[in-house]
Amino acid sequence: MNATLSVQDLWSQILALPACDRHWLQDKLNVYEGEEEDLTPYTMEEIYERIRRSEEDIAAGRTYSSEEVHRQMREYIESL
């Protein structure tokens, strides 16, 4: 099935939603508002510094096993 919507069709569907659902959708869309401003590119010096700090963390044992990361992610997802 090939379905397409025009912007006007989509807007009509949004307006047809109950007010509580429109507010929910607005809240979800506002999560992303302004984030683009924070996406500034790193300089090469900043990238090298991040790599250096990461290598120091690895050498000092400040790491997580993949099992620990998977456990933390499972717990996080279950808490949503």
Side-chain angles (χ1 to χ4, degrees):
M1 180 174 137
N2 186 8
T4 59
L5 284 175
S6 70
V7 172
Q8 187 59 46
D9 292 335
L10 181 58
W11 184 244
S12 297
Q13 289 186 9
I14 291 171
L15 292 176
L17 292 171
C20 62
D21 290 342
R22 284 195 311 272
H23 291 299
W24 176 88
L25 180 59
Q26 182 180 10
D27 288 343
K28 294 303 175 193
L29 293 173
N30 284 338
V31 167
Y32 302 103
E33 191 174 301
E35 284 188 15
E36 192 170 326
E37 297 168 9
D38 299 331
L39 298 177
T40 56
Y42 290 110
T43 65
M44 288 308 294
E45 291 80 16
E46 290 170 321
I47 292 171
Y48 291 139
E49 176 61 20
R50 290 174 69 99
I51 292 170
R52 185 192 64 72
R53 287 193 321 241
S54 295
E55 289 173 341
E56 284 180 359
D57 286 340
I58 292 167
R62 293 185 294 263
T63 61
Y64 294 99
S65 68
S66 62
E67 291 83 9
E68 177 65 13
V69 171
H70 285 267
R71 184 189 63 73
Q72 289 179 7
M73 290 302 298
R74 258 192 322 276
E75 289 174 3
Y76 173 74
I77 290 169
E78 290 170 1
S79 73
L80 296 177

